[in-house]
Amino acid sequence: GRAIVTAFAVAGANVVIADAREADAQATATEIRKEVGARILAIGADVTKLKDMEGVRDAALRDFGAIDILVNNAGWDRLMPFLKTAPDLWDRVIGINYGGVLNTCYAVLPQMVSRKQGAIINISSDSARVGSLGEAVYSGAKAAVIAFSKTIAREHARDNIRVNVICPGLVDTPLLQEIQHEEFGQKVLGSIVNYIPLKRFAKPEDIAPMVVFLASDAASYITGQVTSINGGLTMAG
């Protein structure tokens, strides 16, 4: 998220950060203001709650007048075999990874429709395209994001709204580091870097440029597409 908002700020966009961890959002906003001088609004909000997303929308419209771009980047997971999971984990994984996309789109799309313009970029996962050991519920939720995005792309092409999906592979984030410290995560991820043709995990900065591109006029004829950024680990057609 930090890499994405930084890339947008560098590109000249006004940015709204919505994060359940408000202190982190505020720290990121302060850091980017110092580095780039961009206009940034940071708000504490939970993507699993529609009212929170409506509040973020209203704040963005109040401060900036319109929302041209929506990026759904929130995600969370725990690595474990499906039969060791429980319904409360399913609810949280689905609520953040898929429900959050539903909530933000439901909140933001109407004003994009009214203005007949907009770009939505949803961050899914390569696990949604090929499956991933220990991530059954997460993979399913991220696959739902792909199907939902394609449907919204079809429904709102007439409104000049483009919707695309990015599927990262393994990205070196705090969440990945946390998973690697768990016993099952160590077993699954311990040697996986050896199977990546480019021989490393992605950095967040490897993902952000594609997000900015898909939001830009340079991608004005691209909608309903799914792009993997994974160092070649999978090469899905």
Side-chain angles (χ1 to χ4, degrees):
R2 180 175 296 170
I4 290 171
V5 297
T6 300
F8 272 109
V10 169
N14 298 322
V15 179
V16 179
I17 304 170
D19 198 316
R21 297 171 298 191
E22 185 172 2
D24 288 351
Q26 294 290 354
T28 297
T30 299
E31 181 181 309
I32 296 172
R33 286 190 198 103
K34 289 179 180 177
E35 292 180 1
V36 184
R39 290 182 63 193
I40 299 183
L41 177 64
I43 302 172
D46 183 343
V47 296
T48 67
K49 299 176 180 178
L50 177 59
K51 284 190 175 181
D52 279 17
M53 293 303 99
E54 290 172 336
V56 173
R57 174 203 62 200
D58 293 345
L61 294 176
R62 181 194 66 227
D63 282 27
F64 300 123
I67 301 171
D68 299 303
I69 301 160
L70 170 63
V71 179
N72 280 302
N73 179 68
W76 184 81
D77 193 20
R78 278 289 173 270
L79 216 65
M80 63 180 68
F82 176 65
L83 292 181
K84 292 189 176 181
T85 65
D88 59 340
L89 178 67
W90 307 346
D91 291 343
R92 187 176 182 197
V93 171
I94 294 170
I96 294 173
N97 293 288
Y98 182 41
V101 176
L102 299 181
N103 287 333
T104 58
C105 288
Y106 195 78
V108 171
L109 262 171
Q111 71 87 40
M112 288 185 170
V113 170
S114 70
R115 297 173 59 238
K116 298 298 180 184
Q117 68 179 71
I120 299 173
I121 299 93
N122 293 325
I123 309 299
S124 179
S125 168
D126 240 25
S127 67
R129 307 188 79 180
V130 299
S132 179
L133 185 66
E135 295 185 289
V137 180
Y138 176 82
S139 298
K142 288 297 193 180
V145 170
I146 293 176
F148 172 77
S149 300
K150 289 181 178 182
T151 302
I152 296 302
R154 291 185 183 279
E155 289 184 358
H156 291 287
R158 71 190 69 181
D159 300 311
N160 195 33
I161 296 168
R162 297 182 299 102
V163 186
N164 290 290
V165 181
I166 292 176
C167 289
L170 291 160
V171 185
D172 190 8
T173 63
L175 179 59
L176 184 66
Q177 293 165 16
E178 186 178 324
I179 290 172
Q180 285 180 297
H181 286 117
E182 299 168 355
E183 183 178 356
F184 186 75
Q186 287 178 343
K187 290 180 180 178
V188 173
L189 300 176
S191 62
I192 199 167
V193 72
N194 296 322
Y195 297 96
I196 300 174
L198 294 183
K199 299 300 181 185
R200 66 175 178 85
F201 292 153
K203 298 175 290 187
E205 292 76 14
D206 293 320
I207 312 302
M210 181 60 75
V211 183
V212 175
F213 167 71
L214 288 172
S216 74
D217 290 341
S220 63
Y221 199 60
I222 301 174
T223 194
Q225 302 306 306
V226 182
T227 303
S228 289
I229 304 176
N230 60 21
L233 178 61
T234 66
M235 299 185 182

